[in-house]
Amino acid sequence: MRRTLGVVATLALLAMGVACGGGGGKAKVAAKPVGPAVDEKTAEKDAGGLVTEIYDTINRGKPDNLFSLLNDPLTIFGPRKADATVTRSEALVALGKLVDPKSKQHAQVHSGALEVIASSGGHSAWAFDVITVEGQPLAVTAVLTNDDDLWAVSAASLAHTPSMKELRSELKKVAIVPPGAMSTAKVDDRAKGAVERFQKGLIDQQSWGDDLASRTEALVIGPTGGDVTKGKKEIKRLWKKRMEAETRSAISGEVAAAVTPDGQLAWVTAPVTRVEKDEDPLPLRMFAVFEKNGNDWKMIVLQESLAVDEPGAGASFVKILPPAPKAPEPPPEVKEAKKDDKAKTEPKKKKKKKKKKKKAEDEDG
């Protein structure tokens, strides 16, 4: 168990500086002035360098070198049910149990294919990676911010990605739960619009699909291994299947959300129960990244993640279900003509035929 906690602490270092506190609710976060615009490619390179630096520092067994990179308090979401709020000191203590500078062997973090996309102006970015720690793959989605050319990770969702076979097996045990289900992170007032967009899409999922299918860089990360969809065409195909399956979700815990200091990105997350036609209810954590779109927000990343807990631990979550889909409206009725109406029209037709016949006889005569 200590070894597992150490791995979790390692990954926790990817989620730096999320405002948190006791109980769900609203958090007032003042917007900070930002400097001149940064070239987006440069921003992506520098932001990616931060994530790589964190990986390298952990792999070198130098946990103390991470102290200056961490803000306090520190909140993460996943990869286990209880992994939600961690202070900087707690993270470093737990990490110290795993990464011993005097030891020659400790956990190694291996990056799969780190992808970083900067927002307009280059002062914020989002990142996605599939990392491997002690042979275990984890999907990581993160939001990064730039303050005076110093990049930091402000939010992250971490998740184990089991096979579909493992998922179905654990569902039978009612052992699937949302990662970070115990989170008490709050909602930034400035994220209200993104939260409303998120909540709307829980039932009206086509609104999410329209957002995601409008950007080439958009990503949809599913809860099982290799379930990553990118690009307009692929997301449209995925969403067609979701709509045919009548996919919908209900929130089963606290919503958390925040906006980056430059106001260009927002992240919204919540434990949910997802329902699809002919499938068992599935407890998940949804972590979405939105980009500013005029006065509104548009979803660009959606990660659905799960955690495996003790058998029966998911019982309370599978009871929270979204409303059933509305039945399609029947086509309007076509009223049949009344017998009286038919009787009125038939004699007229006969009279016409009779007149024509009489006219023909007169001409022959």
Side-chain angles (χ1 to χ4, degrees), residues 78-83 175-182 252-253 270-273 282-286 305-308 313-314 316-317:
R80 300 176 305 171
K81 177 184 177 181
D83 298 327
I176 300 297
V177 296
M182 313 309 292
S252 60
V272 306
T273 301
L282 180 61
L284 298 166
R285 171 170 289 281
M286 287 189 175
S305 55
L306 58 84
V308 177
S316 61
F317 296 102

PDB file of all heavy atoms in Angstrom, residues 78-83 175-182 252-253 270-273 282-286 305-308 313-314 316-317:
ATOM      1  N   GLY A  78      -7.733  12.039  -8.713  1.00  0.00           N
ATOM      2  CA  GLY A  78      -7.339  10.690  -9.074  1.00  0.00           C
ATOM      3  C   GLY A  78      -5.859  10.454  -8.858  1.00  0.00           C
ATOM      4  O   GLY A  78      -5.114  11.345  -8.459  1.00  0.00           O
ATOM      5  N   PRO A  79      -5.434   9.186  -9.104  1.00  0.00           N
ATOM      6  CA  PRO A  79      -6.186   8.170  -9.840  1.00  0.00           C
ATOM      7  C   PRO A  79      -7.094   7.289  -8.998  1.00  0.00           C
ATOM      8  O   PRO A  79      -7.882   6.533  -9.556  1.00  0.00           O
ATOM      9  CB  PRO A  79      -5.081   7.328 -10.473  1.00  0.00           C
ATOM     10  CG  PRO A  79      -3.951   7.424  -9.512  1.00  0.00           C
ATOM     11  CD  PRO A  79      -4.017   8.816  -8.938  1.00  0.00           C
ATOM     12  N   ARG A  80      -7.045   7.370  -7.654  1.00  0.00           N
ATOM     13  CA  ARG A  80      -7.922   6.540  -6.844  1.00  0.00           C
ATOM     14  C   ARG A  80      -9.095   7.361  -6.324  1.00  0.00           C
ATOM     15  O   ARG A  80      -9.138   8.581  -6.464  1.00  0.00           O
ATOM     16  CB  ARG A  80      -7.135   5.937  -5.675  1.00  0.00           C
ATOM     17  CG  ARG A  80      -5.962   5.070  -6.087  1.00  0.00           C
ATOM     18  CD  ARG A  80      -5.185   4.587  -4.867  1.00  0.00           C
ATOM     19  NE  ARG A  80      -4.772   5.717  -4.041  1.00  0.00           N
ATOM     20  CZ  ARG A  80      -4.222   5.593  -2.826  1.00  0.00           C
ATOM     21  NH1 ARG A  80      -4.032   4.389  -2.320  1.00  0.00           N
ATOM     22  NH2 ARG A  80      -3.866   6.662  -2.138  1.00  0.00           N
ATOM     23  N   LYS A  81     -10.061   6.680  -5.718  1.00  0.00           N
ATOM     24  CA  LYS A  81     -11.255   7.346  -5.200  1.00  0.00           C
ATOM     25  C   LYS A  81     -10.904   8.432  -4.194  1.00  0.00           C
ATOM     26  O   LYS A  81     -11.481   9.524  -4.210  1.00  0.00           O
ATOM     27  CB  LYS A  81     -12.187   6.320  -4.557  1.00  0.00           C
ATOM     28  CG  LYS A  81     -13.435   6.923  -3.922  1.00  0.00           C
ATOM     29  CD  LYS A  81     -14.256   5.863  -3.225  1.00  0.00           C
ATOM     30  CE  LYS A  81     -15.469   6.476  -2.527  1.00  0.00           C
ATOM     31  NZ  LYS A  81     -16.276   5.450  -1.814  1.00  0.00           N
ATOM     32  N   ALA A  82      -9.970   8.155  -3.297  1.00  0.00           N
ATOM     33  CA  ALA A  82      -9.650   9.092  -2.219  1.00  0.00           C
ATOM     34  C   ALA A  82      -8.648  10.163  -2.614  1.00  0.00           C
ATOM     35  O   ALA A  82      -8.369  11.067  -1.827  1.00  0.00           O
ATOM     36  CB  ALA A  82      -9.108   8.319  -1.014  1.00  0.00           C
ATOM     37  N   ASP A  83      -8.086  10.069  -3.811  1.00  0.00           N
ATOM     38  CA  ASP A  83      -7.045  11.012  -4.228  1.00  0.00           C
ATOM     39  C   ASP A  83      -7.678  12.287  -4.764  1.00  0.00           C
ATOM     40  O   ASP A  83      -8.127  12.343  -5.910  1.00  0.00           O
ATOM     41  CB  ASP A  83      -6.155  10.379  -5.304  1.00  0.00           C
ATOM     42  CG  ASP A  83      -5.433   9.149  -4.790  1.00  0.00           C
ATOM     43  OD1 ASP A  83      -5.101   9.129  -3.597  1.00  0.00           O
ATOM     44  OD2 ASP A  83      -5.223   8.214  -5.578  1.00  0.00           O
ATOM     45  N   ALA A 175     -17.567  -2.209  -8.170  1.00  0.00           N
ATOM     46  CA  ALA A 175     -16.334  -1.667  -7.584  1.00  0.00           C
ATOM     47  C   ALA A 175     -15.832  -0.421  -8.307  1.00  0.00           C
ATOM     48  O   ALA A 175     -14.828   0.161  -7.904  1.00  0.00           O
ATOM     49  CB  ALA A 175     -15.241  -2.736  -7.614  1.00  0.00           C
ATOM     50  N   ILE A 176     -16.516   0.015  -9.374  1.00  0.00           N
ATOM     51  CA  ILE A 176     -16.079   1.191 -10.126  1.00  0.00           C
ATOM     52  C   ILE A 176     -16.595   2.457  -9.439  1.00  0.00           C
ATOM     53  O   ILE A 176     -17.781   2.566  -9.107  1.00  0.00           O
ATOM     54  CB  ILE A 176     -16.596   1.146 -11.578  1.00  0.00           C
ATOM     55  CG1 ILE A 176     -16.062  -0.101 -12.296  1.00  0.00           C
ATOM     56  CG2 ILE A 176     -16.183   2.403 -12.323  1.00  0.00           C
ATOM     57  CD1 ILE A 176     -14.567  -0.143 -12.441  1.00  0.00           C
ATOM     58  N   VAL A 177     -15.697   3.422  -9.231  1.00  0.00           N
ATOM     59  CA  VAL A 177     -16.035   4.698  -8.590  1.00  0.00           C
ATOM     60  C   VAL A 177     -15.352   5.833  -9.354  1.00  0.00           C
ATOM     61  O   VAL A 177     -14.397   5.600 -10.095  1.00  0.00           O
ATOM     62  CB  VAL A 177     -15.581   4.725  -7.115  1.00  0.00           C
ATOM     63  CG1 VAL A 177     -16.313   3.676  -6.297  1.00  0.00           C
ATOM     64  CG2 VAL A 177     -14.067   4.529  -7.008  1.00  0.00           C
ATOM     65  N   PRO A 178     -15.796   7.070  -9.178  1.00  0.00           N
ATOM     66  CA  PRO A 178     -15.099   8.201  -9.798  1.00  0.00           C
ATOM     67  C   PRO A 178     -13.770   8.466  -9.091  1.00  0.00           C
ATOM     68  O   PRO A 178     -13.718   8.456  -7.856  1.00  0.00           O
ATOM     69  CB  PRO A 178     -16.062   9.380  -9.598  1.00  0.00           C
ATOM     70  CG  PRO A 178     -17.367   8.774  -9.225  1.00  0.00           C
ATOM     71  CD  PRO A 178     -17.041   7.492  -8.529  1.00  0.00           C
ATOM     72  N   PRO A 179     -12.693   8.723  -9.820  1.00  0.00           N
ATOM     73  CA  PRO A 179     -11.433   9.125  -9.170  1.00  0.00           C
ATOM     74  C   PRO A 179     -11.614  10.466  -8.448  1.00  0.00           C
ATOM     75  O   PRO A 179     -12.364  11.328  -8.905  1.00  0.00           O
ATOM     76  CB  PRO A 179     -10.460   9.267 -10.346  1.00  0.00           C
ATOM     77  CG  PRO A 179     -11.079   8.500 -11.460  1.00  0.00           C
ATOM     78  CD  PRO A 179     -12.548   8.616 -11.273  1.00  0.00           C
ATOM     79  N   GLY A 180     -10.924  10.622  -7.331  1.00  0.00           N
ATOM     80  CA  GLY A 180     -11.009  11.890  -6.604  1.00  0.00           C
ATOM     81  C   GLY A 180     -12.413  12.226  -6.156  1.00  0.00           C
ATOM     82  O   GLY A 180     -12.789  13.397  -6.084  1.00  0.00           O
ATOM     83  N   ALA A 181     -13.208  11.200  -5.844  1.00  0.00           N
ATOM     84  CA  ALA A 181     -14.612  11.423  -5.501  1.00  0.00           C
ATOM     85  C   ALA A 181     -14.792  12.229  -4.225  1.00  0.00           C
ATOM     86  O   ALA A 181     -15.858  12.790  -3.984  1.00  0.00           O
ATOM     87  CB  ALA A 181     -15.341  10.083  -5.369  1.00  0.00           C
ATOM     88  N   MET A 182     -13.757  12.299  -3.402  1.00  0.00           N
ATOM     89  CA  MET A 182     -13.860  13.007  -2.127  1.00  0.00           C
ATOM     90  C   MET A 182     -13.401  14.464  -2.234  1.00  0.00           C
ATOM     91  O   MET A 182     -13.228  15.151  -1.226  1.00  0.00           O
ATOM     92  CB  MET A 182     -13.015  12.290  -1.057  1.00  0.00           C
ATOM     93  CG  MET A 182     -13.220  10.776  -1.004  1.00  0.00           C
ATOM     94  SD  MET A 182     -14.958  10.276  -0.910  1.00  0.00           S
ATOM     95  CE  MET A 182     -15.360  10.875   0.716  1.00  0.00           C
ATOM     96  N   SER A 252     -22.757  13.279  -9.554  1.00  0.00           N
ATOM     97  CA  SER A 252     -22.884  12.483  -8.328  1.00  0.00           C
ATOM     98  C   SER A 252     -21.996  13.008  -7.185  1.00  0.00           C
ATOM     99  O   SER A 252     -21.793  12.312  -6.204  1.00  0.00           O
ATOM    100  CB  SER A 252     -22.527  11.027  -8.616  1.00  0.00           C
ATOM    101  OG  SER A 252     -21.195  10.918  -9.101  1.00  0.00           O
ATOM    102  N   GLY A 253     -21.481  14.224  -7.344  1.00  0.00           N
ATOM    103  CA  GLY A 253     -20.606  14.793  -6.321  1.00  0.00           C
ATOM    104  C   GLY A 253     -20.449  16.287  -6.526  1.00  0.00           C
ATOM    105  O   GLY A 253     -21.282  16.936  -7.165  1.00  0.00           O
ATOM    106  N   ALA A 270     -16.283  17.026 -12.411  1.00  0.00           N
ATOM    107  CA  ALA A 270     -17.257  16.533 -11.437  1.00  0.00           C
ATOM    108  C   ALA A 270     -17.340  15.020 -11.520  1.00  0.00           C
ATOM    109  O   ALA A 270     -17.154  14.442 -12.596  1.00  0.00           O
ATOM    110  CB  ALA A 270     -18.642  17.134 -11.706  1.00  0.00           C
ATOM    111  N   PRO A 271     -17.636  14.345 -10.401  1.00  0.00           N
ATOM    112  CA  PRO A 271     -17.964  12.931 -10.468  1.00  0.00           C
ATOM    113  C   PRO A 271     -19.347  12.790 -11.116  1.00  0.00           C
ATOM    114  O   PRO A 271     -20.254  13.569 -10.802  1.00  0.00           O
ATOM    115  CB  PRO A 271     -18.007  12.497  -8.997  1.00  0.00           C
ATOM    116  CG  PRO A 271     -17.381  13.614  -8.225  1.00  0.00           C
ATOM    117  CD  PRO A 271     -17.616  14.846  -9.023  1.00  0.00           C
ATOM    118  N   VAL A 272     -19.511  11.839 -11.996  1.00  0.00           N
ATOM    119  CA  VAL A 272     -20.795  11.639 -12.673  1.00  0.00           C
ATOM    120  C   VAL A 272     -21.098  10.143 -12.776  1.00  0.00           C
ATOM    121  O   VAL A 272     -20.221   9.299 -12.577  1.00  0.00           O
ATOM    122  CB  VAL A 272     -20.806  12.252 -14.090  1.00  0.00           C
ATOM    123  CG1 VAL A 272     -20.412  13.716 -14.072  1.00  0.00           C
ATOM    124  CG2 VAL A 272     -19.900  11.465 -15.031  1.00  0.00           C
ATOM    125  N   THR A 273     -22.341   9.851 -13.105  1.00  0.00           N
ATOM    126  CA  THR A 273     -22.725   8.497 -13.492  1.00  0.00           C
ATOM    127  C   THR A 273     -23.209   8.564 -14.928  1.00  0.00           C
ATOM    128  O   THR A 273     -24.164   9.292 -15.229  1.00  0.00           O
ATOM    129  CB  THR A 273     -23.839   7.938 -12.585  1.00  0.00           C
ATOM    130  OG1 THR A 273     -23.378   7.939 -11.235  1.00  0.00           O
ATOM    131  CG2 THR A 273     -24.196   6.517 -12.991  1.00  0.00           C
ATOM    132  N   LEU A 282     -22.274   3.696 -15.301  1.00  0.00           N
ATOM    133  CA  LEU A 282     -20.820   3.720 -15.117  1.00  0.00           C
ATOM    134  C   LEU A 282     -20.396   4.975 -14.354  1.00  0.00           C
ATOM    135  O   LEU A 282     -20.478   6.082 -14.878  1.00  0.00           O
ATOM    136  CB  LEU A 282     -20.132   3.684 -16.488  1.00  0.00           C
ATOM    137  CG  LEU A 282     -18.603   3.694 -16.496  1.00  0.00           C
ATOM    138  CD1 LEU A 282     -18.048   2.479 -15.767  1.00  0.00           C
ATOM    139  CD2 LEU A 282     -18.078   3.734 -17.933  1.00  0.00           C
ATOM    140  N   PRO A 283     -19.928   4.821 -13.100  1.00  0.00           N
ATOM    141  CA  PRO A 283     -19.404   5.978 -12.355  1.00  0.00           C
ATOM    142  C   PRO A 283     -18.082   6.453 -12.964  1.00  0.00           C
ATOM    143  O   PRO A 283     -17.186   5.650 -13.231  1.00  0.00           O
ATOM    144  CB  PRO A 283     -19.195   5.425 -10.940  1.00  0.00           C
ATOM    145  CG  PRO A 283     -20.061   4.202 -10.865  1.00  0.00           C
ATOM    146  CD  PRO A 283     -20.006   3.621 -12.249  1.00  0.00           C
ATOM    147  N   LEU A 284     -17.945   7.762 -13.156  1.00  0.00           N
ATOM    148  CA  LEU A 284     -16.767   8.345 -13.788  1.00  0.00           C
ATOM    149  C   LEU A 284     -16.452   9.695 -13.154  1.00  0.00           C
ATOM    150  O   LEU A 284     -17.281  10.271 -12.451  1.00  0.00           O
ATOM    151  CB  LEU A 284     -16.996   8.574 -15.289  1.00  0.00           C
ATOM    152  CG  LEU A 284     -17.269   7.380 -16.199  1.00  0.00           C
ATOM    153  CD1 LEU A 284     -17.802   7.875 -17.539  1.00  0.00           C
ATOM    154  CD2 LEU A 284     -16.000   6.565 -16.396  1.00  0.00           C
ATOM    155  N   ARG A 285     -15.261  10.194 -13.434  1.00  0.00           N
ATOM    156  CA  ARG A 285     -14.978  11.613 -13.256  1.00  0.00           C
ATOM    157  C   ARG A 285     -14.826  12.197 -14.646  1.00  0.00           C
ATOM    158  O   ARG A 285     -14.072  11.688 -15.473  1.00  0.00           O
ATOM    159  CB  ARG A 285     -13.703  11.876 -12.460  1.00  0.00           C
ATOM    160  CG  ARG A 285     -13.311  13.386 -12.480  1.00  0.00           C
ATOM    161  CD  ARG A 285     -12.214  13.725 -11.524  1.00  0.00           C
ATOM    162  NE  ARG A 285     -12.657  13.668 -10.150  1.00  0.00           N
ATOM    163  CZ  ARG A 285     -13.367  14.634  -9.531  1.00  0.00           C
ATOM    164  NH1 ARG A 285     -13.720  15.734 -10.187  1.00  0.00           N
ATOM    165  NH2 ARG A 285     -13.728  14.498  -8.273  1.00  0.00           N
ATOM    166  N   MET A 286     -15.560  13.277 -14.902  1.00  0.00           N
ATOM    167  CA  MET A 286     -15.389  14.001 -16.154  1.00  0.00           C
ATOM    168  C   MET A 286     -14.561  15.241 -15.875  1.00  0.00           C
ATOM    169  O   MET A 286     -14.855  16.003 -14.942  1.00  0.00           O
ATOM    170  CB  MET A 286     -16.733  14.377 -16.763  1.00  0.00           C
ATOM    171  CG  MET A 286     -17.471  13.207 -17.367  1.00  0.00           C
ATOM    172  SD  MET A 286     -18.923  13.733 -18.294  1.00  0.00           S
ATOM    173  CE  MET A 286     -19.457  12.162 -18.980  1.00  0.00           C
ATOM    174  N   SER A 305     -12.719   9.354 -16.705  1.00  0.00           N
ATOM    175  CA  SER A 305     -11.812   8.442 -16.013  1.00  0.00           C
ATOM    176  C   SER A 305     -12.539   7.703 -14.901  1.00  0.00           C
ATOM    177  O   SER A 305     -13.589   8.147 -14.413  1.00  0.00           O
ATOM    178  CB  SER A 305     -10.620   9.215 -15.443  1.00  0.00           C
ATOM    179  OG  SER A 305     -11.057  10.274 -14.615  1.00  0.00           O
ATOM    180  N   LEU A 306     -11.966   6.569 -14.503  1.00  0.00           N
ATOM    181  CA  LEU A 306     -12.581   5.763 -13.452  1.00  0.00           C
ATOM    182  C   LEU A 306     -11.514   5.236 -12.508  1.00  0.00           C
ATOM    183  O   LEU A 306     -10.321   5.235 -12.822  1.00  0.00           O
ATOM    184  CB  LEU A 306     -13.384   4.610 -14.057  1.00  0.00           C
ATOM    185  CG  LEU A 306     -12.651   3.624 -14.969  1.00  0.00           C
ATOM    186  CD1 LEU A 306     -11.940   2.537 -14.178  1.00  0.00           C
ATOM    187  CD2 LEU A 306     -13.618   2.979 -15.946  1.00  0.00           C
ATOM    188  N   ALA A 307     -11.951   4.781 -11.350  1.00  0.00           N
ATOM    189  CA  ALA A 307     -11.071   4.159 -10.368  1.00  0.00           C
ATOM    190  C   ALA A 307     -11.724   2.868  -9.898  1.00  0.00           C
ATOM    191  O   ALA A 307     -12.950   2.742  -9.912  1.00  0.00           O
ATOM    192  CB  ALA A 307     -10.831   5.101  -9.184  1.00  0.00           C
ATOM    193  N   VAL A 308     -10.890   1.927  -9.493  1.00  0.00           N
ATOM    194  CA  VAL A 308     -11.386   0.651  -8.969  1.00  0.00           C
ATOM    195  C   VAL A 308     -11.189   0.642  -7.464  1.00  0.00           C
ATOM    196  O   VAL A 308     -10.086   0.880  -6.966  1.00  0.00           O
ATOM    197  CB  VAL A 308     -10.651  -0.543  -9.612  1.00  0.00           C
ATOM    198  CG1 VAL A 308     -11.143  -1.852  -8.997  1.00  0.00           C
ATOM    199  CG2 VAL A 308     -10.855  -0.546 -11.120  1.00  0.00           C
ATOM    200  N   ALA A 313     -18.305  -0.595  -3.525  1.00  0.00           N
ATOM    201  CA  ALA A 313     -18.020   0.821  -3.272  1.00  0.00           C
ATOM    202  C   ALA A 313     -18.752   1.743  -4.246  1.00  0.00           C
ATOM    203  O   ALA A 313     -18.971   2.920  -3.945  1.00  0.00           O
ATOM    204  CB  ALA A 313     -16.518   1.073  -3.354  1.00  0.00           C
ATOM    205  N   GLY A 314     -19.127   1.218  -5.393  1.00  0.00           N
ATOM    206  CA  GLY A 314     -19.804   2.057  -6.382  1.00  0.00           C
ATOM    207  C   GLY A 314     -21.313   2.073  -6.255  1.00  0.00           C
ATOM    208  O   GLY A 314     -21.995   2.718  -7.058  1.00  0.00           O
ATOM    209  N   SER A 316     -23.474   3.535  -4.246  1.00  0.00           N
ATOM    210  CA  SER A 316     -24.138   4.830  -4.082  1.00  0.00           C
ATOM    211  C   SER A 316     -24.104   5.650  -5.368  1.00  0.00           C
ATOM    212  O   SER A 316     -24.990   6.481  -5.603  1.00  0.00           O
ATOM    213  CB  SER A 316     -23.489   5.618  -2.946  1.00  0.00           C
ATOM    214  OG  SER A 316     -22.115   5.864  -3.225  1.00  0.00           O
ATOM    215  N   PHE A 317     -23.078   5.436  -6.196  1.00  0.00           N
ATOM    216  CA  PHE A 317     -22.953   6.217  -7.436  1.00  0.00           C
ATOM    217  C   PHE A 317     -23.895   5.721  -8.521  1.00  0.00           C
ATOM    218  O   PHE A 317     -24.458   6.521  -9.282  1.00  0.00           O
ATOM    219  CB  PHE A 317     -21.503   6.179  -7.938  1.00  0.00           C
ATOM    220  CG  PHE A 317     -20.532   6.834  -7.011  1.00  0.00           C
ATOM    221  CD1 PHE A 317     -19.727   6.088  -6.170  1.00  0.00           C
ATOM    222  CD2 PHE A 317     -20.423   8.218  -6.951  1.00  0.00           C
ATOM    223  CE1 PHE A 317     -18.834   6.684  -5.299  1.00  0.00           C
ATOM    224  CE2 PHE A 317     -19.535   8.837  -6.088  1.00  0.00           C
ATOM    225  CZ  PHE A 317     -18.736   8.067  -5.257  1.00  0.00           C
TER     226      PHE A 317
END
